Amino acid sequence: MDFLLKYEGRLADDHELDFYDAAKAMSGFQRSLALTAHLVANGEIITQAPSLKNARILVATPRPGSWEVVASVIGGLWVIGNAKKDSPFGHLVYSVYDYVITQTLGFPVDYNQSLFKQNSAELEKKNITPAKLDSLTEKVEGSVADMHRPIVVSRTAEHADLFAGRVANQRIRLGRELNEESNDYIRQTLIDKFPTLVEGVVSSYNRNTYSGRLYVFEEQRPISFELIDGAKTKPNITNVTTSLRTGAIERGTRDGAVRMKGFRVTSSTGRLKGFRVLSVEYL
């Protein structure tokens, strides 16, 4: 499956970008694809792009139009010049990548109506769960932020779009437009001075970092959370892990719900990005 990252506006319309920012953007593009391809190929989350196994990402020479680069994601056995495009593997990478990019930019996606409905058998075979997709979303956030550099640092482009494959000779758009607003959502955070309450079900949790993701009922989407110092107590951790286990069994219900008290972390536009937790109450 071919994936295209295309910049437009400003110098990009003359087929030019700041060299350093273009390099950082390409690195972010490759890493986000590599982590996605590894999950699809192996059912596992990695953090370093060189750890990619059972897949390969090839890149074509950047080309004008306005400024764009094409990456080909190939799974399993591959031979340069004889790799099949638009394979089932490629389509699954496309579906997962679209889901993750959309989530990273702050737009909710219904897992059951998007990925699972179309690719349930392959997802189950690879053990690609909503919790793993939440984890992948967290891992690629920095890479997607780097893809904004030509737009917000050197300002040699005005916006960018991601595309994949073709239908009726038209490329399929992925996620949402990359622009200054989406950069603000990823990079800028504001922390409330006073604690509030949120209710939801834990969808993922890392016991090493005391962080995870909570599906917030009011938001109808998952947000990241972190137990801050003083909140890393046995009762709080027990409530988090109980919610995770129960929610995994009864997904789509309020079983396993918890009420978290803490500080909202928001983007510059006020959109909830995360939660710094003081206490966790099992409901």
Side-chain angles (χ1 to χ4, degrees):
M1 175 71 75
D2 284 345
F3 293 83
L4 179 144
L5 175 60
K6 180 176 182 178
Y7 292 90
E8 293 182 300
R10 301 175 182 146
L11 290 181
D13 286 344
D14 295 323
H15 322 311
E16 296 178 334
L17 290 180
D18 177 86
F19 197 166
Y20 182 80
D21 285 342
K24 293 290 287 185
M26 294 309 98
S27 177
F29 185 30
Q30 190 275 342
R31 182 177 181 274
S32 64
L33 281 173
L35 268 60
T36 301
H38 186 90
L39 175 61
V40 172
N42 306 288
E44 300 173 343
I45 299 290
I46 57 172
T47 58
Q48 299 295 326
S51 299
L52 173 63
K53 295 179 180 179
N54 298 318
R56 181 61 62 99
I57 299 176
L58 307 179
V59 65
T61 304
R63 62 194 192 191
S66 297
W67 196 101
E68 60 185 49
V69 63
V70 176
S72 297
V73 179
I74 304 170
L77 297 175
W78 62 280
V79 179
I80 293 178
N82 193 34
K84 293 182 178 180
K85 302 291 181 65
D86 298 329
S87 66
F89 173 82
H91 282 289
L92 191 54
V93 172
Y94 155 75
S95 296
V96 174
Y97 196 55
D98 182 51
Y99 179 97
V100 169
I101 292 296
T102 303
Q103 291 273 56
T104 301
L105 297 179
F107 297 92
V109 183
D110 188 326
Y111 173 88
N112 291 316
Q113 293 300 316
S114 56
L115 281 168
F116 194 81
K117 186 175 181 180
Q118 300 172 29
N119 306 287
S120 58
E122 285 299 314
L123 290 166
E124 289 177 2
K125 186 167 67 176
K126 296 291 186 180
N127 193 28
I128 299 175
T129 62
K132 286 186 177 180
L133 292 175
D134 286 345
S135 179
L136 179 62
T137 299
E138 290 184 13
K139 299 297 187 299
V140 305
E141 185 175 275
S143 298
V144 178
D146 283 342
M147 290 157 64
H148 285 78
R149 286 189 61 99
I151 301 166
V152 299
V153 180
S154 60
R155 299 182 66 80
T156 46
E158 187 173 336
H159 61 87
D161 289 288
L162 285 158
F163 300 91
R166 292 181 182 274
V167 172
N169 209 35
Q170 295 293 318
R171 288 195 174 272
I172 308 165
R173 184 171 174 175
L174 281 160
R176 302 294 183 104
E177 181 182 270
L178 308 185
N179 52 37
E180 292 192 37
E181 184 177 351
S182 60
N183 178 75
D184 287 345
Y185 175 79
I186 295 175
R187 293 186 182 275
Q188 295 187 20
T189 57
L190 303 171
I191 302 175
D192 286 355
K193 294 181 180 180
F194 303 101
T196 55
L197 300 173
V198 295
E199 294 183 2
V201 176
V202 177
S203 60
S204 65
Y205 179 67
N206 187 322
R207 64 183 181 180
N208 295 318
T209 61
Y210 299 95
S211 62
R213 292 179 75 82
L214 177 77
Y215 183 87
V216 180
F217 297 141
E218 183 178 358
E219 296 279 328
Q220 296 189 350
R221 63 185 176 93
I223 58 110
S224 61
F225 72 86
E226 178 185 2
L227 300 180
I228 64 177
D229 291 341
K232 301 171 183 176
T233 64
K234 186 175 181 179
N236 284 338
I237 295 171
T238 298
N239 288 337
V240 166
T241 54
T242 301
S243 175
L244 177 61
R245 288 195 301 270
T246 306
I249 297 171
E250 302 293 341
R251 187 164 181 84
T253 72
R254 289 182 174 248
D255 290 344
V258 292
R259 179 182 294 120
M260 292 185 173
K261 180 179 180 180
F263 301 97
R264 289 167 51 95
V265 179
T266 61
S267 69
S268 60
T269 60
R271 187 171 177 80
L272 181 64
K273 292 183 62 178
F275 207 65
R276 303 187 67 188
V277 181
L278 293 168
S279 63
V280 184
E281 176 188 0
Y282 194 82
L283 300 179

